[in-house]
Structures are given as structure tokens and as C-alpha cells.
Amino acid sequence: MRPLLTALGLAAAWELLVWLTGVPSYILPPPSRIAAVLADRWDLLLDQALWTGAEMLMGFALGLVLGAALAIVFAASAGWRRWALPLVIASQAVPVIAVAPLLVLWLGYGMASKVVMAALVIFFPVVSSLYDGLRRTDEGWLELAHTMDAPPRAILLQIRLPAALPAFASGARIAAAVAPIGAVIGEWVGASAGLGYLMTQQLARGQTPLAFAALFVLCLLGIGLYAVTDRVLRRLVPWQSFQGD
Amino acid sequence: MARLVVPSLSVRNARIAFDGHLVAERLSLEIPAERTTCLLGRSGIGKTSLLRYLAGLLPGTTRAAPLAYMAQQDRLLPWLSALDNVLLGYRLRGDEAARRKAEPRARALLAEVGLGDRLNDLPRTLSGGMRQRAALARTLCEDRPVILMDEPFAHLDAVTRLDLQDLAVRLLAGRTAVLVTHDPLEALRVAHEVRILQGAPFTVGPAILPPGAAPRDPADPELLALQARLIGELRGSGPGDLP
């Protein structure tokens, strides 16, 4: 409830600022104008939101699955760790924005390039957080498993993996927060639909209020993905209590 | 219950170090089979290191026989219920038939340590003493010929401690057990043999055999006299916390 009041306060200040300075609406539209556009063009915005939302969700799922799989492979195999881990770390030096035009070139203007883009952005926080978690298993638990004659596979799946879930959850939360970035960058570079595409189109035509409305819907999508992810993770890792809850 | 061969444990001319810190040198020690031996000593003297040596948990050591090891920390897995924690060994070894067979025993053990109504609770909902009792149940549920326990009753209230000492005596019968403690009366109640560790690096004193069958009455004058003697010996050894 409180964040909503804060948001309302900020919107009021924004409205007042526009009213006092008399900035034209194609530079900075007042919230009331954006709200009117939202109400007026909701069918268009909904269509584009569904498109971008699908890209985000698929990219999120792909990035999570690939990232988690690679982290587990790295934790289980010293060979993979030695040969491929430095490469994964180095890959983060490549600016994602620079890759976007290539992805569009290879995969086209459709959804695929955006899904891959989002997955690329998400991949690294997931690998690094889960791999880190898998390496930091409590020594005492490993010792206990050792005295119980547990095979390495059981130690990985029944002790190290569940023990790493809180770390994985942190990575997945970051992933949920950055998923929209990947999808929207892909749309900016070249797309035929989506909220990012709508924004670039409308800004070029001076239809700033509609671009702002698209941005607003994009924010809602991002918040929604984060909130759902957070809720699912809390259910998945119930033994982890959070301070300040 | 088909009994495995229950071995004795022996340490011959061992050098034990902990974190690059010499704890014992040229140590030789015989732990008799099918007996409970208590290692008694002041804090910081190296009791835990010796127990870890016996468990094969120190670098360069191997264990002599299949064993169950109970550390000072309960080491319960926070995502498993009390019952599943007690059955952890069977879960990890992936022998479904053995696990099903062990489950009634796990339930009975948890009931005996007073957790019969907390079977499905996660560890974080249990108190420190309850967690230690669950860890004790897990150790005993393993059904191994050798059992090593590091201050297994440290976090319990006085009455529960006596009850669980009685339980341990009953369940450790016929196994080779080594129990580390700094409580002389506890050692005298449950052990066939008490060994005092003193000095730095520590040496192990001769076996002290408390009279009668365990668990012994803590109010028995003979036992209390023996306790006074042990305390005297421990005191004479100087502060054990110093390296």
C-alpha cells in the first residue's frame, strides 16, 4: 500500500512540474495525459505487452534452464570447469547490446532473436550464483555424507544442490529483474512487434505520450515477473528465512 | 538384526595435527571392541581431533570400519523433516528397500528421544536441544558397528541428559563406541572405559574402569568418589585451552 502512495505522490509532483513549466507534451507528457492514452489505446498496448511478455518469459525460462544446467555441470566435472568456465566468464566482457544486431541478423525480426537476447542477459547471473552456491556447501554436511558412504551423485543432488538453492534464488531474482532489458534491447534493434518496438516507433513520430504508456506497461510486466518469481522462490526455499520480513 | 563384525580400533604411533597445530605426537591407543570408551579432557585439548582421526576425517587418514559419526553441531539438513534427517544415510545411499526397512526404527528412535510428535517438522522449528536429540537419533539409526560421538549431550537440560545417556547405553551395547565429553560424571555413567587426555600435545592416560554395569546411578557414592578423582586429575593438567 505504501509504495503505491509514494508512486501517487511522485506522479502528482510530475504533473505539477509539467503544469508549472509548460513543457510541451512531446517532450514530457504529464501523467494525466499518459493515463488517458493508456485508457484509449489499451487494446494496442495489451497486444504488444503480450508479445513482449512472451519473449521475456521464454527468455527467462531458457536462461534459467541453461544457466542451472551449466552450473551443475561445472560443479560436477573438473574437466568442464577447467576448459569452459573461463570462457563463460570472459563472455561477460562482450557487451550484450553489441550482440543484439547480430542476433537479429541471424534469427530475424521475430520473437526468436529477443528470446535468445533475454536468455543471454539472464544466463550469467544464474550460472554464477548457482555455481557459487554449489561450491559453498557446509563442510559439516559433506563430512556427514562422507561418513554415511554417500556416492558423489547423491551428494550433489541431495546435499549440494538443495544447499545451493538460496544462492540460486538470488541469481534468479536478478534474472527476473533484467529479463525485460534483454527483450527490449532486441526489439529496439529490429522487431516487428512488442512494447520496445512500439516505443521507438512512437518516439520517432513525436507520439511521446504513447511511448510513455508503453514504458509504463513494460514496468508493470517487469514488476509482475519479479513478484511472481520471488513468490515461487520463497515457496521453493521455505527453510530460508529473510530478515526484515 | 544380523550383526556385522564389530572391530576394535587402534591408533599406532600417530601424529595428529589440526590446522597446522600439533595436537598429539607418537600417540598409541587401543579402543576395545563392543565397549563404550569415553575420552575425557578439558576444552581445546584435542578430543575432537582424535575423534576425527578415528573417523578418517583428517587429511591422510582412513577409517578402520563403517561407522556413524556425530559431530558437536547437529548438522541437520534444513530442508528435510526430522524423520527424513534421521533416515539421511539411507536416502543418500539410495537403497530404497533398506530405507523402508529402517523407517519404523527411525520413528521409534525419534519417539525415544522425545520427538515422536515432531516427525514432520523442519529443523528450524526445533529447539537446540531437540535438534541435538534428532542428530543422536540419526547417528543411532545408522546401525553401524562403530559409533563416534562428540559431546552428544552437551545442549540438553540435566534431566533429558540423564534419560538420553540411559538410551545411549542401551543402544550402544554390542558396538564399539567412542564418546568425547568434558563431563566426568557423564563419562563414569555410560562408559566401560574412561580415558583422560591431558597435556599439549596431549597424552592419553590409562583406562579407568568404573565398577558395575552402565548406566550407573549418578548418586552412587563410589561413582562420586571416582568423579572427584577424575576432576583432580583434570585440574592437575592445567588449563586445557592453552595451546
Side-chain angles (χ1 to χ4, degrees):
Chain A
M1 201 59 225
R2 278 185 203 121
L4 209 63
L5 287 177
T6 315
L8 279 176
L10 283 173
W14 175 353
E15 185 84 38
L16 194 68
L17 184 77
V18 173
W19 185 70
L20 284 176
T21 57
V23 187
S25 162
Y26 64 87
I27 301 281
L28 182 67
S32 56
R33 182 79 196 279
I34 299 167
V37 171
L38 272 172
D40 201 33
R41 308 295 300 274
W42 65 270
D43 48 344
L44 170 73
L45 287 165
L46 184 67
D47 274 354
Q48 308 307 314
L50 286 177
W51 185 266
T52 303
E55 292 169 353
M56 272 164 53
L57 273 183
M58 283 194 273
F60 186 58
L62 187 68
L64 277 187
V65 170
L66 286 180
L70 202 63
I72 292 171
V73 167
F74 282 150
S77 149
W80 274 81
R81 210 152 49 223
R82 242 169 269 144
W83 290 92
L85 183 61
L87 210 65
V88 170
I89 292 166
S91 76
Q92 284 309 295
V94 180
V96 182
I97 298 176
V99 182
L102 290 174
L103 286 178
V104 173
L105 177 68
W106 295 332
L107 299 172
Y109 283 76
M111 217 179 246
S113 56
K114 286 75 192 172
V115 170
V116 171
M117 190 73 200
L120 266 184
V121 176
I122 284 162
F123 178 73
F124 190 72
V126 173
V127 176
S128 72
S129 64
L130 181 57
Y131 176 61
D132 212 43
L134 287 169
R135 282 195 309 170
R136 285 170 198 269
T137 316
D138 185 292
E139 276 299 320
W141 292 337
L142 295 178
E143 215 172 80
L144 181 67
H146 175 70
T147 59
M148 286 173 163
D149 302 318
R153 212 178 110 89
I155 293 180
L156 178 65
L157 294 179
Q158 294 188 48
I159 296 195
R160 295 175 66 191
L161 199 56
L165 281 183
F168 170 73
S170 307
R173 281 193 189 89
I174 296 173
V178 298
I181 300 177
V184 168
I185 289 176
E187 288 181 359
W188 282 348
V189 172
S192 46
L195 290 168
Y197 165 75
L198 186 67
M199 279 183 73
T200 45
Q201 288 276 306
Q202 301 305 317
L203 278 174
R205 289 198 218 147
Q207 298 293 318
T208 316
L210 186 51
F212 263 92
L215 184 60
F216 179 77
V217 175
L218 192 61
C219 288
L220 287 186
L221 271 186
I223 294 169
L225 181 62
Y226 184 87
V228 170
T229 306
D230 188 57
R231 181 152 294 200
V232 170
L233 288 173
R234 274 168 199 249
R235 188 148 301 177
L236 190 70
V237 195
W239 62 89
Q240 192 192 31
S241 56
F242 293 91
Q243 280 181 341
D245 268 9
Chain B
M1 191 162 37
R3 282 255 59 91
L4 295 160
V5 181
V6 179
S8 61
L9 302 174
S10 60
V11 178
R12 291 214 180 89
N13 208 12
R15 184 179 187 281
I16 302 177
F18 171 69
D19 254 351
H21 201 85
L22 186 67
V23 183
E25 209 168 16
R26 288 195 293 281
L27 180 73
S28 292
L29 176 66
E30 288 295 322
I31 308 273
E34 298 184 38
R35 288 281 183 273
T36 298
T37 303
C38 274
L39 302 176
L40 183 64
R42 303 181 68 162
S43 293
I45 195 144
K47 302 186 295 291
T48 298
S49 294
L50 175 53
L51 203 65
R52 290 168 58 81
Y53 179 90
L54 291 170
L57 291 173
L58 293 181
T61 59
T62 50
R63 61 176 196 194
L67 52 84
Y69 178 79
M70 181 177 171
Q72 274 179 44
Q73 307 80 14
D74 56 70
R75 291 181 180 172
L76 299 175
L77 297 178
W79 55 88
L80 293 182
S81 68
L83 181 63
D84 284 335
N85 261 296
V86 170
L87 288 166
L88 180 65
Y90 300 89
R91 292 172 65 99
L92 286 173
R93 290 185 291 270
D95 186 346
E96 189 56 36
R99 186 175 91 175
R100 263 200 300 276
K101 230 180 105 205
E103 191 175 318
R105 203 154 45 88
R107 287 173 184 276
L109 274 166
L110 276 166
E112 286 198 271
V113 300
L115 293 172
D117 54 347
R118 306 299 295 268
L119 296 178
N120 299 314
D121 290 1
L122 289 179
R124 72 180 168 126
T125 66
L126 304 176
S127 74
M130 289 174 171
R131 294 172 61 112
Q132 191 168 37
R133 285 183 264 153
L136 179 67
R138 180 188 62 205
T139 310
L140 296 172
C141 192
E142 277 289 273
D143 196 22
R144 297 292 181 99
V146 176
I147 296 185
L148 309 176
M149 298 200 283
D150 197 348
E151 301 192 9
F153 313 118
H155 302 302
L156 306 177
D157 66 80
V159 178
T160 310
R161 182 176 306 169
L162 291 175
D163 288 346
L164 290 191
Q165 285 167 357
D166 294 350
L167 173 71
V169 165
R170 185 153 51 83
L171 293 172
L172 293 178
R175 300 168 205 254
T176 306
V178 182
L179 206 149
V180 158
T181 178
H182 50 228
D183 177 1
L185 191 59
E186 178 169 288
L188 292 171
R189 280 205 75 214
V190 305
H192 295 99
E193 281 192 9
V194 179
R195 297 283 203 138
I196 291 186
L197 275 58
Q198 44 192 341
F202 72 74
T203 52
V204 179
I208 297 161
L209 311 173
R216 302 179 186 87
D217 179 6
D220 177 8
E222 205 178 345
L223 209 65
L224 291 174
L226 207 47
Q227 183 194 10
R229 205 188 100 196
L230 292 184
I231 291 173
E233 284 195 34
L234 287 169
R235 274 210 164 136
S237 70
D241 308 83
L242 293 180

